[in-house]
Amino acid sequence: RGALTGCVYATPGTRTIRLTVREPDGETSTTQTNVTVADPNVHFSGTNTVCVSASGNFTDCPAGAARVTSSDYDAALMDNDKCNVDGGKRRCLLRCGETFTQSAVVSFAGGTSPGLLSCFGGTTGRANVNSTVSMGTVNQGWTVSALNWRNSTTGGSAVGLHHNFGNITLYDNALTTQSGGSASMATTGTTHPNLVAIVGSTHTVNPVTGLA
């Protein structure tokens, strides 16, 4: 195995990915492939997107999306199969800049279809989640982005990763755990750690004792 690298594209379209390997003697070899980034507004059209706002402000929520007024993070994601349908995952968007509370662990459903947890609208780039428990287990196919997630429990962890059958992407998050907590950990039986991409995300242990 060599070094691993990754890239997250913010807009849909077809991109050409080119890899060049250079030997110590200067000899090079290049290969390339095309990658198509789907439009999330097409893939998650209509009620396959759920917008959640603590204040009831749904400005910039995609047209046709389901709307939930709640500051309860775990209820918004889990109740009535809103965002977390096994085998048919959806896009769940919390309002950027608003604050949500989490008191129950959320396990993001598996299955082969993609799922997206992120934020919409607002004046800041992330949604805030204040938690008294671990965030939960993120299964294959999920992208989690644009969260300021804080755990107030000493020794509590953030994200459990379970990616046996597909990729997981953590993009542009800020995860804060208390002393003894870890940012992410593989769950029992998990394989293929190279299928997890953590891009532009930070983890802070409070008080700072080093990365867990």
Side-chain angles (χ1 to χ4, degrees):
R1 293 180 180 271
L4 299 176
T5 187
C7 182
V8 175
Y9 294 104
T11 57
T14 299
R15 309 298 202 284
T16 298
I17 310 297
R18 184 176 294 107
L19 173 66
T20 299
V21 177
R22 184 182 301 275
E23 298 288 350
D25 62 4
E27 184 178 354
T28 63
S29 178
T30 300
T31 186
Q32 69 180 46
T33 188
N34 291 330
V35 174
T36 299
V37 180
D39 185 342
N41 289 326
V42 175
H43 183 84
F44 297 109
S45 61
T47 55
N48 286 318
T49 292
V50 182
C51 294
V52 183
S53 170
S55 66
N57 183 349
F58 294 101
T59 302
D60 298 324
C61 173
R67 300 181 174 190
V68 177
T69 300
S70 176
S71 62
D72 190 328
Y73 169 87
D74 38 284
L77 266 63
M78 297 298 291
D79 286 359
N80 304 313
D81 290 333
K82 289 188 175 73
C83 299
N84 202 20
V85 183
D86 192 13
K89 301 186 291 290
R90 301 176 181 177
R91 174 172 61 169
C92 192
L93 303 177
L94 309 177
R95 185 160 184 82
C96 300
E98 293 191 346
T99 299
F100 303 84
T101 58
Q102 180 184 6
S103 58
V105 174
V106 175
S107 292
F108 295 85
T112 58
S113 61
L116 174 62
L117 173 62
S118 190
C119 75
F120 76 98
T123 57
T124 61
R126 293 179 177 144
N128 305 300
V129 180
N130 294 329
S131 178
T132 57
V133 296
S134 296
M135 180 187 289
T137 300
V138 177
N139 282 279
Q140 63 273 7
W142 278 93
T143 295
V144 178
S145 71
L147 294 185
N148 281 327
W149 185 90
R150 301 179 63 87
N151 187 332
S152 61
T153 304
T154 299
S157 297
V159 186
L161 304 175
H162 194 284
H163 45 85
N164 283 27
F165 305 108
N167 298 344
I168 295 172
T169 302
L170 306 180
Y171 173 61
D172 189 30
N173 302 288
L175 308 177
T176 302
T177 55
Q178 302 304 310
S179 178
S182 61
S184 60
M185 57 185 177
T187 57
T188 302
T190 293
T191 57
H192 307 304
N194 55 312
L195 296 180
V196 176
I198 301 177
V199 183
S201 294
T202 61
H203 173 223
T204 302
V205 179
N206 187 22
V208 177
T209 57
L211 293 180

